[in-house]
Amino acid sequence: MPVLLPTSRPRGRPSATRAPAKGHAVIIAGGGPTGLMLAAELALAHIDVAVVERRAGQELSGTRAGGLHARSIEILDQRGVADRFLRKGQIVQLAGFTWTRLDISDLPTRHAHGLALRQSHIERILAGWVEELAVPVYRNTEVLGFTQDGTGIDVVLSGGATLHADYLVGCDGGRSLVRKAAGIDFPGTDPTLSNLMAEVEMREEPVFGLRHDALGFHGLSKAESGRVLVVVTEATLARRGEPDLRDLSDALVAVYGTDFGVQNPAWISRFTDAARQAASYRRGRVLLAGDAAHVHHSVGGQGLNTGLQDAVNLGWKLAQVVNRTASENLLDSYHSERHPVAARVLRNTRAQIALLRRADDGLVAAREVLAELLALDEPRKRLGAMMSGLDIHYDLGEGHALLGRRMPDLDLTIEGRPQRLFALLHRARGLLLTFGKLDVIDITPWADRVDLVDAAYEGAWELPLVGQVAAPKAVLVRPDGHVAWAGDGSRSGLAETLTRWFGEAAA
């Protein structure tokens, strides 16, 4: 059997589970944003995780995603790394719907904005963080197949090597081999339009700006490099595969009557409005996240962000299952919580494409009416919270308004010192936060998974769309930042909630 060596090796990071010989506890197929975020989450939980990536380095051909939405910035802030991204990007009002910008600056969050930052930068920063966490990355390598049984999963890699693992997570994109090999259906809609995106030079001065016509929507703008960034709808769906300069020239001529002397492309990519979602995010020891689980048009910039949030929802759950502090049933909540989120993303991207793709009088009128509606506060806030991910609400049953929603980043006082709540989540552990040293419960049996902190807070509790809510006496926050339990001073339901999310109490 060939010997396979990662490009980076663990440097003394403790592991709660010993990896099998010639293997790891978890193998992630794909080192894009979703795979890297998941690797970091598992490493923070001291899980022996490795990434398998087909690229030799983190270089990315093409611009792809263009930024981070508010909730993604929040989850990075929860891990103490948001500043790394904020320093490299530009704070903007990024959320939009059918080209109508949605100002979210009045929503109750510390990050009431987006961050314009290309995927290539996002990946480099994530890769640097993962390297600091000593996660091994097998580069120039692909997952070719696997076999699984009750004891684990054997993952076959290009070159003939095999790695054993407890779990395999497919973060390998829309054409995911992991998803196909697992036999997971990928239902949805076929493409109705095809877009080309490219970064090029032009001998003639282009017509910058956005436009609609009978073919669809198009735009020319200046790229960071000083070149021209092109987005153009093709006249036909007949052309498939990797696009070339001739395809781009033909598309420009069809729209503008000229190709502006297009030359020297840095990259050209093709994407469609196909919208598909995995029927299940798990089959046995195989799980899916990011584009492997859901694909859709890039309008609204939600794809990368949804993938990052998949990773943060899955990471702590998978870590506890690997550590055997929780049963495999915990993984069922990954699908039940994240599948509806992506289904809503697919729905809103389909709606946007339906409104954007043609320039006929009826659709122009519909866009104008929608723009007028979105100028009103309530519709603007509702769609702004949806597009930015701030309104995500997991169904955790009846109870306090906080239940299932993202925990606000409160300015707390702990032992007389100021402390932001998100700083208490940097280690990706559960948090039981009390106000006034309440005798809620002895959490010693869960102390290896949950931190108990008593704090003071005098301000308002406010949630996007919901508004101000009653201040709880205590709150249990999951590692992903969502509220699992909120108490009024009694212990009712807390032990059951701790067991549900963090496993049985330790002896």
Side-chain angles (χ1 to χ4, degrees), residues 123-142:
E123 286 199 19
R124 280 197 293 270
I125 298 169
L126 286 171
W129 183 31
V130 165
E131 184 176 4
E132 291 172 16
L133 294 170
V135 175
V137 179
Y138 297 90
R139 294 200 175 273
N140 287 314
T141 308
E142 294 184 71

Side-chain angles (χ1 to χ4, degrees), residues 283-504:
R283 176 157 292 178
R285 294 180 177 274
V286 178
L287 297 113
L288 304 175
D291 288 353
H294 41 76
V295 296
H296 51 84
H297 196 276
S298 63
V299 64
Q302 299 166 93
L304 181 151
N305 291 272
T306 305
L308 290 179
Q309 293 159 36
D310 286 346
V312 174
N313 184 283
L314 174 60
W316 65 277
K317 297 173 181 177
L318 183 56
Q320 292 189 141
V321 173
V322 169
N323 279 335
R324 296 181 174 85
T325 56
S327 74
E328 285 193 5
N329 294 335
L330 182 60
L331 294 177
D332 294 337
S333 70
Y334 169 59
H335 171 91
S336 64
E337 291 180 354
R338 294 304 300 172
H339 194 276
V341 171
R344 189 171 67 155
V345 170
L346 264 65
R347 185 182 69 175
N348 80 56
T349 54
R350 286 192 186 110
Q352 291 181 77
I353 291 300
L355 287 166
L356 284 173
R357 63 166 306 166
R358 298 291 182 188
D360 62 74
D361 291 343
L363 285 177
V364 170
R367 288 194 294 269
E368 290 173 347
V369 170
L370 181 61
E372 291 177 3
L373 183 64
L374 293 178
L376 303 176
D377 280 349
E378 185 62 27
R380 171 185 59 80
K381 289 180 180 180
R382 183 163 297 278
L383 281 190
M386 178 184 73
M387 298 300 293
S388 61
L390 291 172
D391 73 338
I392 292 173
H393 178 206
Y394 300 136
D395 183 5
L396 303 187
E398 298 295 325
H400 196 283
L402 287 164
L403 194 61
R405 292 186 167 89
R406 48 171 281 290
M407 180 69 182
D409 185 21
L410 306 178
D411 289 311
L412 305 170
T413 300
I414 301 174
E415 297 181 348
R417 298 179 180 178
Q419 179 72 76
R420 288 174 50 202
L421 186 141
F422 279 4
L424 303 177
L425 297 173
H426 285 182
R427 296 194 298 162
R429 289 164 53 88
L431 171 66
L432 179 57
L433 188 65
T434 63
F435 299 93
K437 296 188 182 298
L438 298 175
D439 181 24
V440 286
I441 194 173
D442 178 12
I443 71 158
T444 302
W446 292 277
D448 59 333
R449 290 153 270 171
V450 180
D451 295 323
L452 175 61
V453 176
D454 185 69
Y457 177 68
E458 302 299 332
W461 290 69
E462 188 174 4
L463 296 171
L465 304 184
V466 177
Q468 290 195 10
V469 300
K473 299 294 185 182
V475 62
L476 178 63
V477 184
R478 306 188 321 186
D480 61 357
H482 283 258
V483 176
W485 175 89
D488 58 4
S490 74
R491 304 181 181 186
S492 177
L494 179 55
E496 293 81 2
T497 303
L498 284 164
T499 301
R500 175 184 180 184
W501 296 112
F502 299 101
E504 295 292 336

Side-chain angles (χ1 to χ4, degrees), residues 210-251:
L210 303 172
R211 69 161 60 183
H212 279 94
D213 60 21
L215 292 178
F217 50 91
H218 326 279
L220 301 175
S221 61
K222 286 189 177 180
E224 295 175 353
S225 62
R227 292 169 170 252
V228 179
L229 182 63
V230 179
V231 179
V232 62
T233 303
E234 293 186 276
T236 176
L237 286 170
R239 297 183 181 183
R240 300 292 176 91
E242 292 298 321
D244 56 23
L245 189 59
R246 177 62 182 272
D247 292 328
L248 183 61
S249 175
D250 289 347

